[in-house]
C-alpha cells in the first residue's frame, strides 16, 4: 500500500505541475501583466505608474526566460512561489494573501462542516427510504420530487430560503456573521438550511440509484431467501456494500470544505474564503484568484488520494497496488 | 455585412445542421424507433421544449423594417432602423418604456401611481427601469438556448476527438490526453470557470467557451472508456483484418457506436450549462439578458416593502420550466438509449 501511496503522490505532483502550468497560461499569457496592471492602476494611469506597479508586484520580469538570471523569470517565479506556498500580496489592496486565507478558513469551515455533516445525515437515510419503497408510488413520487428539486437553480434557493426563513418566519437573522460561539449558530442557520435544501434533490437521487442498483445483487436475494427483513437487508447488507460509491462521492470533497461556499458566503455575508473569492472577482484581484484556484485544485487532489485510501478501510477486497 | 445578418446566418446554419442530423438519424431504424418511443413517453415535455425553442427562434431572426425610414425624426429614426426580431415587434418600442416598476396588469405605476405611458397593460408588469417583464422573460429563452446549445456544440466535438483518440490509439497518446483530462478535472469547476471568465473577459462567447473548457472533461472520460471497450470488439478486429485504415475504423465503426452517448450527454449537460450561467450571473460575470441576470437584478426586490415579486417569479419560472423539461427529457433519453438500463429492465 505504501508503494501505491508514494506512486500516487508522485502522479499527483505531476498533476499539480499541470495545474500550475495551466494557471500560468491563463494568468500570464492569456491575460498579460499589462492587462492586470492597467486594471489595478486604472485605464488612464501614466506609463510610469504602470511600470512601478508591475515592478512592485513582480510582473516586470521576463516571461519565460531571463538570460542573466536563469532562475528569475515569471514562469520560474510562479512555480516556485506556488509550490512553496508563498502567495505574495493581493493585486487589489496589497494585503498579504496568507493573512486573508487565515482569516477566511474559520468562517468557511463553520459553514461547510455542519452543512456537510447534516447533508450526509439527511440524504443517506432519505435515499434508503426511497429505495426501501422502490417500484411503488412513494418511490416514483420521491424521484419526481428529486428532479423538481434539481431543476431549481441554487440562486433561487438562496433568495427564496432567505425570504421564507428570515423574513416571513423571522426565525433567524437575515445575514451577517459573528464568530463568538454563543451566537454563531443563529447566523449560520439560514445558510446551512438553504445549502441543505439546494443539495438534497441531487444527493437523494444519487443515493437511491446506488441502493437500488445494489438491491439487485445476488446476495440480497440470498438474504431475502433466508427470511431477512427488507429493512434489515437495506441497512445491514445494501448500505454496507454501497459504501464504495458513497465514499467516492463524499470523501473527495472533505478537504475542499475549507474553501467554503462561494454562493452562500457572499450572499449571507459570511467572511470566508468564498466571499474572498467573490471580492477578488469584483476587484480584479488576479493574484488572489490564482491562489484560490490553485488551493482548490490542491485540496481536490488531496481528496482524491484520501478517497483511494478510504476504499481500503471499507472494502477488504480493495488493495492499493 | 451587418452584424445582425451574420447572427441570422448563424441561426440558419445551426437549425439547418440540426435538421440534417435529424434527417440522417431518421434513416436508421434504431434512431427512428428511439424517436418514436420518446414522443410516446414524453409528449408534454417535448411540446414544452418546442415552445421554448420556438420562442428562441422567433427572437433569433431580426430584420429592419425599411418602409417608415425617413418619415420620423431624431432619436426615433435610430430605433426604427435597429434590426428587430419577431419578439421585439410584439412589444411596443422604447418610446413607451415606463419610468419604473408597475405591477402585473396594473394601469398605473407601482410607486406614485402615475398613469402608464404604454397604452394597455403589461401582462407581467415592468422592472426597475420600466422595461416590460414578459418581454425580457421571452428574450431570455434565446440566451438560455444559446448557452446550453452553443456550449454543448463546443463540448461534444472536443470530447469526442480527445476521448476517441486516447481510447483508440492508447500508449503515449493516451498518457498525454489522460494527463490533460486529469489536470482539468482536478480543478474545482466553479473556480476554474471564474478564472477563465476573468481572464478571457466578460461576454456571451467567453462564457460559453469557459463553460465548454470546464465541461468537456467528464464526457471525454466516458468516450475514452467506451472506445477502449469498442476497439476490442470482433467487428473492429474484422475491419482491421480486412485492411481498413485507422481513420476508417474510427469514423465508420467507433464513432457511430458512440452516438447514443453523445445524444444522452447533449441533453444531460444542457441543463447544467444553463444553471451554471445563472450562478455566473449571480456573481456578476454572466450574460446580459439571461434569466440568471434577471434573477440577480431582482435579488433585493423581495426585501422591499411592499415587495416586488414579478421580476423574480417570471425569470425563475421560465428558468425552472426549461431545466425541468430538459431534465425529464434527459432521463427518458437515457432510459431509451442506454443499453445497460435496457438490459436491467428486461
Amino acid at each position: 500500500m505504501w508503494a501505491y501511496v508514494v506512486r500516487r503522490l508522485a502522479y499527483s505532483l505531476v498533476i499539480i505541475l499541470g495545474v500550475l502550468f495551466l494557471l500560468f497560461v491563463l494568468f500570464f499569457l492569456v491575460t498579460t501583466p499589462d492587462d492586470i496592471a492597467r486594471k489595478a492602476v486604472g485605464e488612464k494611469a501614466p506609463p510610469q505608474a504602470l511600470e512601478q506597479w508591475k515592478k512592485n508586484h513582480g510582473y516586470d520580469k521576463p516571461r519565460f526566460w531571463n538570460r542573466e538570471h536563469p532562475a528569475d523569470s515569471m514562469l520560474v517565479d510562479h512555480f516556485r512561489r506556488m509550490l512553496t506556498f508563498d502567495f505574495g500580496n493581493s493585486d487589489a489592496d496589497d494585503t498579504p494573501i496568507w493573512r486573508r486565507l487565515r482569516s477566511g478558513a474559520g468562517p468557511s469551515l463553520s459553514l461547510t462542516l455542519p452543512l456537510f455533516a447534516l447533508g450526509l445525515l439527511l440524504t443517506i437515510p432519505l435515499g434508503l427510504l426511497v429505495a426501501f419503497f422502490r417500484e411503488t408510488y412513494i418511490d416514483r413520487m420521491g424521484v419526481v420530487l428529486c428532479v423538481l428539486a434539481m431543476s431549481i437553480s441554487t440562486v433561487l434557493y438562496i433568495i427564496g430560503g432567505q425570504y421564507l426563513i428570515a423574513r416571513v418566519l423571522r426565525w433567524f437573522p437575515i445575514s451577517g456573521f459573528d464568530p463568538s460561539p454563543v451566537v454563531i449558530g443563529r447566523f449560520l442557520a439560514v445558510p446551512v438550511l438553504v445549502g441543505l435544501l439546494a443539495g438534497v434533490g441531487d444527493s437523494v437521487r444519487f443515493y437511491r440509484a446506488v441502493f437500488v442498483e445494489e438491491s439487485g445483487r445476488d446476495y440480497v436475494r440470498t438474504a431475502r431467501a433466508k427470511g431477512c427483513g427488507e429493512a434489515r437487508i437495506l441497512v445491514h447488507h445494501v448500505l454496507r456494500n454501497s459504501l464504495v460509491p458513497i465514499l467516492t462521492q463524499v470523501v473527495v470533497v472533505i478537504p475542499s470544505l475549507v474553501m467554503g461556499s462561494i454562493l452562500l458566503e457572499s450572499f449571507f455575508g459570511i467572511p470566508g474564503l468564498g466571499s474572498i473569492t467573490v471580492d477578488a472577482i469584483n476587484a480584479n484581484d488576479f493574484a488572489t484568484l490564482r491562489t484560490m484556484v490553485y488551493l482548490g485544485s490542491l485540496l481536490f487532489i488531496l481528496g482524491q488520494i484520501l478517497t483511494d485510501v478510504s476504499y481500503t478501510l471499507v472494502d477488504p477486497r480493495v488493495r492499493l497496488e | 455585412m451587418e452584424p445582425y445578418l451574420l447572427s441570422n446566418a448563424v441561426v440558419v446554419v445551426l437549425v439547418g445542421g440540426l435538421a440534417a442530423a435529424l434527417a440522417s438519424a431518421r434513416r436508421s431504424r434504431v434512431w427512428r424507433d428511439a424517436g418514436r418511443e420518446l414522443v410516446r413517453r414524453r409528449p408534454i415535455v417535448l411540446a414544452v421544449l418546442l415552445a421554448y425553442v420556438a420562442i428562441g427562434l422567433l427572437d433569433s431572426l431580426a430584420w429592419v423594417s425599411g418602409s417608415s425610414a425617413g418619415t420620423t425624426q431624431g432619436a426615433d429614426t435610430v430605433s426604427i432602423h435597429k434590426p428587430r426580431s419577431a419578439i421585439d415587434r410584439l412589444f411596443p418600442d422604447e418610446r413607451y418604456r415606463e419610468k419604473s416598476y408597475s405591477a402585473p396588469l396594473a394601469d398605473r405605476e407601482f410607486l406614485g401611481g402615475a398613469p402608464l405611458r404604454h397604452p394597455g397593460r403589461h401582462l407581467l408588469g415592468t422592472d426597475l427601469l420600466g422595461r416590460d417583464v414578459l418581454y425580457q422573460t421571452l428574450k431570455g429563452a434565446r440566451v438560455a438556448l444559446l448557452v446550453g446549445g452553443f456550449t454543448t456544440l463546443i463540448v461534444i466535438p472536443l470530447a469526442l476527438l480527445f476521448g476517441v483518440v486516447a481510447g483508440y490509439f492508447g500508449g503515449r497518446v493516451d498518457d498525454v490526453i489522460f494527463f490533460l483530462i486529469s489536470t482539468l478535472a482536478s480543478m474545482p469547476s466553479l473556480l476554474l470557470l471564474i478564472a477563465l471568465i476573468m481572464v478571457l473577459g466578460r461576454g456571451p462567447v467567453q462564457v460559453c467557451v469557459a463553460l465548454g473548457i470546464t465541461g468537456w472533461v467528464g464526457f471525454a472520460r466516458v468516450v475514452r472508456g467506451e472506445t477502449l471497450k469498442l476497439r476490442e470488439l470482433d467487428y473492429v478486429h474484422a475491419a482491421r483484418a480486412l485492411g481498413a485504415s485507422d481513420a476508417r475504423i474510427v469514423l465508420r465503426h467507433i464513432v457511430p457506436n458512440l452516438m447514443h452517448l453523445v445524444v444522452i450527454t447533449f441533453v444531460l449537460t444542457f441543463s447544467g450549462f444553463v444553471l451554471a450561467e445563472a450562478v455566473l450571473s449571480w456573481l456578476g460575470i454572466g450574460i446580459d439578458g439571461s434569466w440568471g441576470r434577471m434573477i440577480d437584478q431582482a435579488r433585493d426586490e423581495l426585501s422591499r416593502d411592499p415587495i416586488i415579486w414579478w421580476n423574480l417569479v417570471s425569470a425563475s419560472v421560465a428558468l425552472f420550466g426549461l431545466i425541468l423539461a430538459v431534465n425529464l427529457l434527459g432521463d427518458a433519453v437515457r432510459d431509451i438509449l442506454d443499453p445497460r438500463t435496457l438490459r436491467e429492465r428486461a
Side-chain angles (χ1 to χ4, degrees):
Chain A
M1 178 179 152
W2 289 112
Y4 172 85
V5 172
V6 168
R7 212 148 15 89
R8 185 68 217 256
L9 285 175
Y11 190 66
S12 300
L13 186 70
V14 179
I15 298 275
I16 289 169
L17 293 179
V19 168
L20 282 176
F21 184 71
L22 205 71
L23 285 177
F24 181 78
V25 171
L26 286 180
F27 283 94
F28 293 89
L29 299 184
V30 181
T31 312
T32 60
D34 282 326
D35 297 337
I36 299 177
R38 214 164 291 132
K39 277 183 179 146
V41 190
E43 289 293 335
K44 295 193 185 97
Q48 301 93 312
L50 228 64
E51 289 308 316
Q52 187 59 42
W53 188 89
K54 275 162 61 179
K55 197 172 164 60
N56 291 347
H57 290 80
Y59 286 122
D60 61 334
K61 296 173 183 169
R63 214 172 276 172
F64 294 104
W65 183 246
N66 189 339
R67 212 174 304 151
E68 285 129 43
H69 308 279
D72 196 29
S73 71
M74 274 197 282
L75 179 68
V76 178
D77 228 30
H78 169 68
F79 274 79
R80 183 179 53 75
R81 288 174 56 182
M82 285 291 173
L83 287 174
T84 54
F85 299 103
D86 167 20
F87 299 131
N89 296 344
S90 146
D91 279 351
D93 58 6
D94 290 324
T95 43
I97 292 176
W98 257 118
R99 196 193 300 160
R100 285 201 183 164
L101 294 177
R102 260 200 301 271
S103 76
S108 274
L109 277 176
S110 67
L111 169 69
T112 49
L113 273 181
L115 190 57
F116 174 75
L118 291 175
L120 286 182
L121 287 178
L122 178 74
T123 53
I124 292 182
L126 272 178
L128 276 173
L129 197 71
V130 180
F132 180 77
F133 290 107
R134 67 185 169 280
E135 282 164 32
T136 66
Y137 274 101
I138 295 174
D139 175 35
R140 241 160 271 158
M141 281 254 296
V143 174
V144 169
L145 280 179
C146 286
V147 176
L148 286 174
M150 283 163 61
S151 303
I152 300 174
S153 165
T154 317
V155 298
L156 289 176
Y157 280 105
I158 294 178
I159 302 182
Q162 189 200 37
Y163 178 68
L164 197 71
I165 303 169
R167 275 186 216 284
V168 177
L169 301 172
R170 291 174 190 275
W171 287 348
F172 300 107
I174 286 162
S175 68
F177 188 74
D178 186 338
S180 78
V182 190
V183 288
I184 191 170
R186 291 179 47 73
F187 284 108
L188 289 174
V190 181
V192 167
L193 280 172
V194 167
L196 278 180
L197 262 180
V200 84
D202 222 353
S203 312
V204 170
R205 200 168 113 113
F206 170 75
Y207 292 131
R208 176 200 165 271
V210 170
F211 296 142
V212 167
E213 167 143 358
E214 202 64 29
S215 308
R217 303 273 159 126
D218 286 343
Y219 71 85
V220 174
R221 200 175 39 191
T222 310
R224 206 170 287 142
K226 282 194 316 190
C228 197
E230 202 64 25
R232 192 184 154 81
I233 292 178
L234 266 183
V235 177
H236 280 256
H237 298 264
V238 171
L239 178 60
R240 294 180 72 166
N241 280 292
S242 307
L243 279 175
V244 166
I246 293 178
L247 285 176
T248 312
Q249 192 85 348
V250 168
V251 178
V252 77
V253 304
I254 291 177
S256 309
L257 291 177
V258 170
M259 297 298 288
S261 157
I262 291 178
L263 294 179
L264 289 172
E265 287 178 15
S266 63
F267 190 72
F268 289 101
I270 299 166
L273 295 185
S275 287
I276 292 173
T277 309
V278 175
D279 292 343
I281 301 174
N282 294 329
N284 282 316
D285 184 351
F286 289 88
T288 304
L289 212 57
R290 201 159 60 215
T291 310
M292 289 298 177
V293 182
Y294 173 61
L295 279 182
S297 311
L298 220 56
L299 293 168
F300 194 77
I301 292 167
L302 180 65
Q304 288 170 328
I305 298 173
L306 288 182
T307 308
D308 280 1
V309 175
S310 73
Y311 291 156
T312 58
L313 299 181
V314 300
D315 190 345
R317 288 169 304 179
V318 176
R319 290 236 184 83
L320 301 177
E321 267 153 24
Chain B
M1 193 161 58
E2 301 275 340
Y4 78 93
L5 286 178
L6 191 68
S7 74
N8 285 357
V10 170
V11 174
V12 171
V13 168
L14 278 181
V15 173
L18 199 66
L22 281 178
S24 83
R26 274 184 69 84
R27 258 181 279 138
S28 125
R29 236 196 85 218
V30 184
W31 288 101
R32 211 165 46 224
D33 289 351
R36 281 216 192 101
E37 177 70 12
L38 193 64
V39 174
R40 199 182 61 76
R41 278 205 215 173
R42 295 271 188 274
I44 301 171
V45 167
L46 283 171
V48 170
L49 279 177
L50 272 182
Y52 273 99
V53 173
I55 294 170
L57 283 181
L58 280 179
D59 193 30
S60 295
L61 293 176
W63 66 94
V64 180
S65 40
S67 60
S68 51
T71 56
T72 41
Q73 298 291 317
D76 291 347
T77 324
V78 178
S79 73
I80 279 173
H81 279 289
K82 259 206 305 212
R84 293 160 71 212
S85 70
I87 297 284
D88 295 329
R89 278 154 207 275
L90 284 176
F91 291 86
D93 57 45
E94 284 288 295
R95 281 169 291 173
Y96 292 106
R97 196 204 256 197
E98 311 301 342
K99 277 208 225 63
S100 184
Y101 293 116
S102 71
L105 290 176
D107 59 352
R108 44 197 62 244
E109 282 174 14
F110 189 68
L111 312 163
L116 298 180
R117 293 180 192 172
H118 168 245
R121 301 176 183 212
H122 297 281
L123 204 57
L124 293 176
T126 54
D127 69 357
L128 173 69
L129 301 174
R131 292 170 299 190
D132 190 280
V133 174
L134 178 63
Y135 172 65
Q136 285 179 278
T137 310
L138 291 179
K139 291 285 264 188
R142 175 168 168 265
V143 180
L145 293 173
L146 211 70
V147 171
F150 186 55
T151 310
T152 324
L153 283 184
I154 299 176
V155 163
I156 285 178
L158 214 60
L160 267 183
L161 178 70
F162 281 103
V164 168
V165 167
Y168 183 78
F169 292 105
R172 282 281 160 77
V173 182
D174 186 27
D175 287 343
V176 170
I177 294 177
F178 194 73
F179 169 68
L180 183 67
I181 291 178
S182 320
T183 304
L184 275 172
S186 300
M187 304 173 80
S189 58
L190 184 55
L191 280 170
L192 180 58
L193 255 182
I194 292 170
L196 281 168
I197 294 172
M198 292 298 288
V199 168
L200 296 173
R202 297 165 196 204
V205 178
Q206 286 87 338
V207 169
C208 289
V209 169
L211 283 169
I213 293 177
T214 49
W216 69 276
V217 179
F219 185 43
R221 264 191 187 158
V222 176
V223 169
R224 175 179 170 272
E226 195 67 16
T227 309
L228 280 174
K229 248 188 283 170
L230 288 176
R231 75 166 183 189
E232 299 304 329
L233 292 186
D234 287 343
Y235 60 80
V236 175
H237 285 305
R240 195 171 294 132
L242 284 169
S245 66
D246 285 334
R248 190 183 161 81
I249 293 176
V250 165
L251 291 178
R252 299 285 308 212
H253 300 288
I254 307 254
V255 172
N257 287 302
L258 294 168
M259 282 330 265
H260 69 287
L261 289 177
V262 169
V263 172
I264 296 172
T265 313
F266 181 84
V267 186
L268 289 182
T269 54
F270 185 98
S271 53
F273 291 139
V274 179
L275 286 176
E277 194 280 332
V279 168
L280 292 175
S281 281
W282 182 260
L283 297 174
I285 47 181
I287 299 177
D288 283 331
S290 72
W291 291 319
R293 184 55 66 87
M294 281 179 78
I295 293 170
D296 178 44
Q297 283 162 354
R299 64 158 93 179
D300 294 325
E301 290 178 355
L302 285 185
S303 37
R304 295 179 71 116
D305 190 31
I307 66 165
I308 286 159
W309 49 268
W310 48 89
N311 283 310
L312 183 69
V313 170
S314 309
S316 314
V317 169
L319 178 64
F320 173 68
L322 178 66
I323 302 296
L324 180 63
V326 174
N327 279 347
L328 290 174
L329 184 79
D331 286 354
V333 167
R334 189 175 44 192
D335 284 353
I336 292 169
L337 289 180
D338 191 351
R340 202 170 66 109
T341 342
L342 285 181
R343 210 185 318 119
E344 271 172 11
R345 214 182 309 125

